Amino acid sequence: MPHPFIIKEIISVTMILFAIIDILGAIPVIIQLRQRVGHIESEKASIAVLVLMVTFLFIGDELLAVIGLDISSFAIAGSLVIFIIAMEMILGVDFFKEELPQAASIVPLAFPLIAGAGTMTTLLSLKSQYQTQNILVGIVLNTLVVYLVLKNVKWLERLLGPIGLSVLRKAFGIILLAIAIKLFRSNTHL
């Protein structure tokens, strides 16, 4: 009987989600948001991120069934979204435009900034390749990272500086680009 938790899968899922969530790349936006509204509730935002991702992991299939799509088709579409997000990160161009409202509760911080469309698409794409329990561990680990970043955003900003943040964003963009190509190839069987 296979072991229910596969460390290699957990590491892969955790790294993929870490890259797509891009919490480090979101630090400048989080800083701007905090300046607009004052205090950001790290705990509330992190719990919202966890609930959104776990809920979508389990009912995402049913949502797809209602509109008549299979996971492979959604994974291919997801790979294209991830590709575009990666290009944004690498080129420093915004293809997705989002306006930030004056109030930063769960919206827009938890959704769509942290657990946005790219994350949700990635979760369903991952479900086509990894065991659910390993994805859940990856979600929990990423939620902990999100919480730590939100709690320590001022310190991270000073530590990394603008150049460090830019380098991290581009590095994660290249990783995401490779992930997008892998998802596309494995679901189209090319």
Side-chain angles (χ1 to χ4, degrees):
M1 187 165 126
H3 193 314
F5 293 101
I6 301 170
I7 299 298
K8 184 179 177 187
E9 280 195 14
I10 291 170
I11 292 169
S12 294
V13 167
T14 302
M15 293 304 294
I16 290 167
L17 286 175
F18 184 74
I20 195 73
I21 291 170
D22 188 29
I23 189 66
L24 297 178
I27 289 173
V29 179
I30 295 167
I31 291 166
Q32 177 187 356
L33 202 62
R34 190 189 68 231
Q35 289 170 349
R36 282 187 186 178
V37 299
H39 178 68
I40 290 176
E41 296 180 63
S42 309
E43 295 84 5
K44 186 184 281 187
S46 300
I47 290 169
V49 165
L50 179 67
V51 168
L52 282 168
M53 288 196 290
V54 170
T55 301
F56 200 79
L57 178 66
F58 285 106
I59 66 164
D61 290 336
E62 287 75 22
L63 289 174
L64 290 178
V66 167
I67 55 176
L69 292 174
D70 59 29
I71 289 182
S72 287
S73 299
F74 198 75
I76 292 167
S79 72
L80 296 175
V81 171
I82 295 168
F83 180 85
I84 292 169
I85 292 170
M87 294 308 291
E88 280 186 336
M89 293 168 72
I90 294 167
L91 300 174
V93 177
D94 287 333
F95 296 109
F96 297 111
K97 305 289 183 196
E98 295 177 23
E99 297 207 8
L100 299 174
Q102 296 300 317
S105 56
I106 291 172
V107 176
L109 186 58
F111 181 83
L113 183 61
I114 297 170
T119 304
M120 301 309 181
T121 305
T122 301
L123 284 171
L124 286 188
S125 301
L126 290 173
K127 198 171 179 180
S128 71
Q129 295 186 353
Y130 298 98
Q131 295 179 34
T132 303
Q133 67 272 14
N134 297 323
I135 299 171
L136 283 171
V137 173
I139 288 171
V140 170
L141 291 173
N142 273 281
T143 302
L144 289 172
V145 172
V146 165
Y147 173 74
L148 290 172
V149 168
L150 291 176
K151 229 17 183 177
N152 299 293
V153 75
K154 287 181 185 178
W155 178 80
L156 287 168
E157 180 186 18
R158 286 192 307 270
L159 177 72
L160 296 171
I163 295 171
L165 289 172
S166 177
V167 168
L168 271 179
R169 189 168 180 84
K170 292 193 185 314
F172 280 109
I174 292 168
I175 292 168
L176 277 184
L177 194 57
I179 291 166
I181 292 167
K182 180 184 176 195
L183 280 172
F184 185 83
R185 288 185 66 205
S186 64
N187 284 285
T188 57
H189 307 294
L190 293 176

